[in-house]
Amino acid sequence: HEGREMAKAAELILEKPGMRSRATFTVFITQTFCYHWTSPLQDTIAPLLEWYQRGLEIGDTASACWCLNSRSYNLFHVGRALDSIQEELEATIQVMTQLKQDESLLQIINLRTTVKKLHGIDSEAGDKIWDSMLTTAASTGDVTLSSLVNVMKLEVFVFYQE
């Protein structure tokens, strides 16, 4: 309950004048790291989309894309149909490419690769993409990317016996 109370307190602080510039990032944090533990994951999807849109409106593109990124992963984890997720991910990839949000883009490509693999589309290509991402992560020292790819590979292996 304490985490939820802190998240609500953060949202109340956002109502004060001058806090608009941090609003999108704060909502990303509260929805991604607080509410998803204390509420059904489905309840985070609408606020994350809303704050993606608001973030774009106020010019906070990076935080807006983090909201969209988190929403995409939550859609996957609530069990939405793979066709629906794949369509959404394709659109998200176009948006993140256009907005030049490379870090979020790589995470969405990773998720799309997972969805395609589970859907039986380009399974071998998916493995090559993961291998390529791991090679890039190793050469650049990007432990975050390496971790994300390995987590998705582990999820596919453990949860889906692939």
Side-chain angles (χ1 to χ4, degrees):
H1 292 297
E2 289 177 23
R4 187 176 185 84
E5 289 176 25
M6 293 300 286
K8 286 182 180 183
E11 290 171 351
L12 286 174
I13 291 169
L14 292 176
E15 294 176 13
K16 294 184 177 192
M19 297 304 295
R20 184 176 174 194
S21 66
R22 299 304 299 158
T24 307
F25 185 72
T26 302
V27 170
F28 161 73
I29 294 294
T30 59
Q31 293 296 325
T32 304
F33 299 108
C34 297
Y35 291 132
H36 88 288
W37 291 110
T38 60
S39 307
L41 193 57
Q42 182 70 36
D43 293 352
T44 66
I45 292 171
L48 287 167
L49 180 59
E50 175 188 348
W51 280 92
Y52 156 72
Q53 294 165 336
R54 284 189 182 190
L56 291 180
E57 289 170 10
I58 64 171
D60 188 359
T61 305
S63 296
C65 286
W66 281 111
C67 286
L68 190 58
N69 186 326
S70 186
R71 180 179 183 273
S72 297
Y73 274 85
N74 290 356
L75 287 171
F76 175 75
H77 287 108
V78 298
R80 186 178 270 193
L82 293 176
D83 287 341
S84 172
I85 295 171
Q86 186 174 338
E87 285 178 25
E88 184 135 354
L89 293 174
E90 297 295 343
T92 299
I93 286 169
Q94 289 179 5
V95 166
M96 289 188 183
T97 300
Q98 185 176 18
L99 295 173
K100 296 180 178 22
Q101 296 297 309
D102 294 339
E103 189 172 343
S104 291
L105 176 63
L106 286 174
Q107 291 182 23
I108 294 301
I109 289 170
N110 186 31
L111 181 58
R112 182 189 62 182
T113 301
T114 302
V115 168
K116 282 184 165 185
K117 185 168 179 67
L118 292 174
H119 205 239
I121 302 169
D122 295 335
S123 290
E124 288 181 26
D127 290 337
K128 289 178 185 175
I129 290 169
W130 277 337
D131 290 343
S132 173
M133 291 174 93
L134 287 172
T135 300
T136 299
S139 69
T140 61
D142 188 342
V143 294
T144 303
L145 177 59
S146 177
S147 298
L148 288 167
V149 171
N150 284 320
V151 163
M152 293 312 287
K153 287 176 77 172
L154 185 63
E155 278 192 29
V156 169
F157 179 73
V158 172
F159 296 127
Y160 303 102
Q161 301 299 309
E162 292 277 328

